[in-house]
Amino acid sequence: MGRESVAKAFADIRAALAVLNAEVDGRGAEPFSAADPLAGLADGNLDILAGAKEAEAGLAGLKARAAMKYANTAHALAPEMPARAQEMAIAAEIGAVLAIGPRAASTFLATSHALDTTLPLTLSALQSGTISWQHALALADEAATLDPTGAAALEGHFLDPDTPRPSTAAPAGDIPAHRLRHKARTWRERHHTDSIEKRHTKAVTDRRVEYRPDQDGMAWLSACLPAHQAMAGWNRLNALARAAQGPDESRTLTQIRADNFAEAILTNGSNAALSSTSRAQVLVTVPVVALMGLTDEPAMLDGYGPIPPSMARDLVANGADSFHRVLVDPRDGAPLEIGRTSYRVTKAMRNWLRMRDGTCPFPGCSNNSLDNEADHLLAWHHGGTTGISNLGQPCPKHHKLRHTTGWKPTPATKNQPPGWTSPTGRHYKSEHQDWEPPHWPGWLASSCVTDIHEPGSGSAGHAAGSGMPDDDDPPLVDLPEFEIPEDTGVAECDLPQDVFGEFYLRLALTGHVVTAAPT
């Protein structure tokens, strides 16, 4: 049948699209709901969107396979043509058929080749509609610099159904592609065969500033910098912009950030606001053994991801006042629980939420945790407690959405952010942090970890001396229509003690000699 079958298949697709377009407008043979036509039409269109998402992914997988089959046959038809010339001819042909430029055609071909040769799980998920083309592109980009074994491990971590993952965690295809790219980059940094120190040393030579004209008398000025410099600068701009807001300030937060940035680069930062003592906070999580230089695993920079341990050590050694030691469980790398019985949320608890969630926990939101607001999942006046498991940290937009619409968060735990339920009753799982156990030096017996008190067998959490001060506790941010009850406060000494404190101290002071913590 050949071409006739192809023509008929696409004719059937066009006929199906005509049916679906009629259903979008409620002009189908039957209404979505005879009892409530308007609500039925709204819910039916969500079903159409979900189906279209899967169909688009399946067509993207088809395009990738067709492109590679064409490329392979083109090579076979002209074996005497130089390889470079043949690649250019193939890209030009595919670009013309798809009406895309040469660079886009080359990117499409490179991704299609990766899916066809080294990423079978990704191609299968794309064809089944489980992930989109943008998800596949993110995985292919991060796998491009890995060997075949590493590439297989990367896609297996996100797509293999046998990979253990929490039941409350959103599948890779339900996470927006830009968030999956962030998670895949984090995994790559941790598992690359070359150390992050070696790769960073090479990458830092490519630091640069770029300029690009835009419309209406505007232009873009951007810089590629070491991660800790870029993140600290961004957080500082945010802190200054928030401090400048007030009833007499007509500019938006975004506009103030842009004005402060321009002021800094054009006047050497002489503006009084830029010279103020406002400092942005940067959380850095680094396993103590890496901090001591005994292992080479990455540290984690809040809002960015993995960084070389030398960068983290430099932040600590130079007395960066924004650095906080983040206590993690040596067995799985996850933070430990903090509890509090008063309504007020302490700085330590806010820092905990930042580490647990990373960004606003609303589906697809990438708002940095510094801009987010602590919020009770079960309201305080309905019996909710101020503990990590009953707190979320939505950004201002989604905090307002929660309190003014039918969107509701679902329960959380100490290490798992809340999911969300929409007004239509659809449930969206949360995006989880990818915690991994810290690396241990070979001389450090694995049994030493079991000598540590089990979390839950005693108190757990940050001690007053954990590097996370709690002075000037900021009040919980709530919308004006909600009454905040009087807070009598809780003394910092009433917070749980750090059960791993003796272990870390003993490791640091005994020079690699570890014994069980005293009982």
Side-chain angles (χ1 to χ4, degrees):
M1 296 292 287
R3 289 187 172 179
E4 291 182 6
S5 295
V6 171
K8 182 180 184 304
F10 281 110
D12 290 342
I13 290 175
R14 286 189 288 271
L17 287 174
V19 171
L20 290 169
N21 273 294
E23 294 289 352
V24 165
D25 296 327
R27 294 185 288 104
E30 297 179 0
F32 287 104
S33 171
D36 192 342
L38 188 60
L41 182 61
D43 201 50
N45 272 283
L46 288 177
D47 291 338
I48 291 173
L49 283 172
K53 169 190 169 186
E54 293 185 8
E56 286 177 345
L59 286 173
L62 175 65
K63 286 168 59 179
R65 294 192 65 244
M68 291 314 301
K69 188 62 68 175
Y70 165 74
N72 293 336
T73 55
H75 280 294
L77 290 170
E80 73 287 348
M81 184 182 296
R84 178 58 182 160
Q86 197 168 62
E87 290 174 2
M88 292 175 61
I90 291 171
E93 182 79 42
I94 289 180
V97 168
L98 297 179
I100 57 179
R103 181 176 297 180
S106 296
T107 299
F108 171 69
L109 277 170
T111 304
S112 298
H113 181 266
L115 298 178
D116 190 56
T117 58
T118 60
L119 299 173
L121 291 180
T122 306
L123 178 59
S124 177
L126 183 65
Q127 291 179 292
S128 67
T130 303
I131 63 173
S132 71
W133 174 257
Q134 292 302 319
H135 289 83
L137 182 61
L139 292 176
D141 286 348
E142 295 303 325
T145 59
L146 299 173
D147 59 24
T149 301
L154 182 145
E155 70 164 359
H157 176 75
F158 292 103
L159 298 176
D160 190 337
D162 293 330
T163 299
R165 52 179 54 88
S167 61
T168 58
D174 290 352
I175 300 171
H178 73 280
R179 294 298 309 158
L180 179 62
R181 181 178 293 275
H182 170 80
K183 296 172 80 67
R185 175 172 61 83
T186 298
W187 190 96
R188 171 191 172 274
E189 298 287 18
R190 287 171 170 165
H191 298 276
H192 202 289
T193 52
D194 292 335
S195 74
I196 192 171
E197 291 287 358
K198 179 180 178 180
R199 288 180 283 119
H200 176 69
T201 299
K202 180 180 178 181
V204 78
T205 62
D206 294 329
R207 61 190 182 278
R208 61 196 179 275
V209 176
E210 295 180 350
Y211 165 81
R212 177 170 61 85
D214 204 349
Q215 298 175 331
D216 304 324
M218 303 296 287
W220 289 93
L221 184 64
S222 58
C224 182
L225 301 170
H228 69 298
Q229 294 179 359
M231 180 55 64
W234 173 250
N235 288 344
R236 179 166 169 77
L237 284 173
N238 278 328
L240 291 169
R242 285 192 295 268
Q245 287 186 308
D248 298 326
E249 176 56 71
S250 61
R251 295 174 298 172
T252 65
L253 195 69
T254 299
Q255 291 169 341
I256 299 173
R257 273 197 302 257
D259 292 344
N260 284 342
F261 176 74
E263 188 74 26
I265 62 174
L266 295 176
T267 65
N268 294 322
S270 60
N271 181 283
L274 293 172
S275 302
S276 69
T277 58
S278 297
R279 295 191 61 84
Q281 186 181 67
V282 181
L283 289 183
V284 182
T285 305
V286 53
V288 66
V289 287
L291 189 63
M292 297 167 65
L294 303 179
T295 63
D296 197 31
E297 65 176 310
M300 294 293 291
L301 180 65
D302 180 43
Y304 170 79
I307 60 173
S310 62
M311 185 182 292
R313 288 193 293 269
D314 182 64
L315 288 173
V316 180
N318 291 331
D321 60 7
S322 58
F323 173 80
H324 287 294
R325 176 176 73 89
V326 178
L327 183 66
V328 298
D329 191 324
R331 293 159 300 184
D332 59 13
L336 299 172
E337 177 70 282
I338 302 175
R340 187 79 180 238
T341 56
S342 70
Y343 185 82
R344 192 179 297 275
V345 178
T346 71
K347 286 184 178 179
M349 296 175 73
R350 288 176 183 273
N351 288 335
W352 185 277
L353 288 173
R354 289 171 59 188
M355 297 308 302
R356 186 194 70 181
D357 299 355
T359 65
C360 167
F362 192 84
C365 185
S366 294
N367 200 310
N368 188 275
S369 58
L370 277 175
D371 295 324
N372 299 344
E373 303 167 348
D375 180 44
H376 287 94
L377 303 181
L378 176 63
W380 174 267
H381 53 277
H382 288 160
T385 61
T386 302
I388 296 301
S389 297
N390 190 46
L391 289 173
Q393 50 136 28
C395 67
K397 179 174 72 174
H398 291 122
H399 191 187
K400 183 175 181 180
L401 182 78
R402 179 260 170 101
H403 285 297
T404 57
T405 72
W407 280 93
K408 300 297 180 186
T410 59
T413 70
K414 65 178 182 180
N415 294 326
Q416 299 177 357
W420 289 79
T421 301
S422 74
T424 63
R426 285 172 167 79
H427 175 63
Y428 300 90
K429 294 184 177 181
S430 61
E431 177 185 331
H432 287 198
Q433 297 273 52
D434 293 322
W435 304 113
E436 293 190 9
H439 298 172
W440 296 92
W443 54 264
L444 188 58
S446 60
S447 61
C448 73
V449 178
T450 62
D451 292 334
I452 307 168
H453 300 302
E454 290 289 332
S457 62
S459 55
H462 295 283
S466 66
M468 298 179 122
D470 189 37
D471 47 28
D472 300 325
D473 289 348
L476 182 71
V477 177
D478 253 323
L479 299 178
E481 61 265 27
F482 291 89
E483 180 181 359
I484 298 179
E486 180 180 357
D487 178 18
T488 58
V490 176
E492 191 64 35
C493 61
D494 292 335
L495 286 173
Q497 295 298 303
D498 178 354
V499 298
F500 289 109
E502 299 96 336
F503 169 76
Y504 286 130
L505 181 61
R506 194 176 298 274
L507 181 64
L509 296 181
T510 58
H512 308 172
V513 177
V514 181
T515 60
T519 57

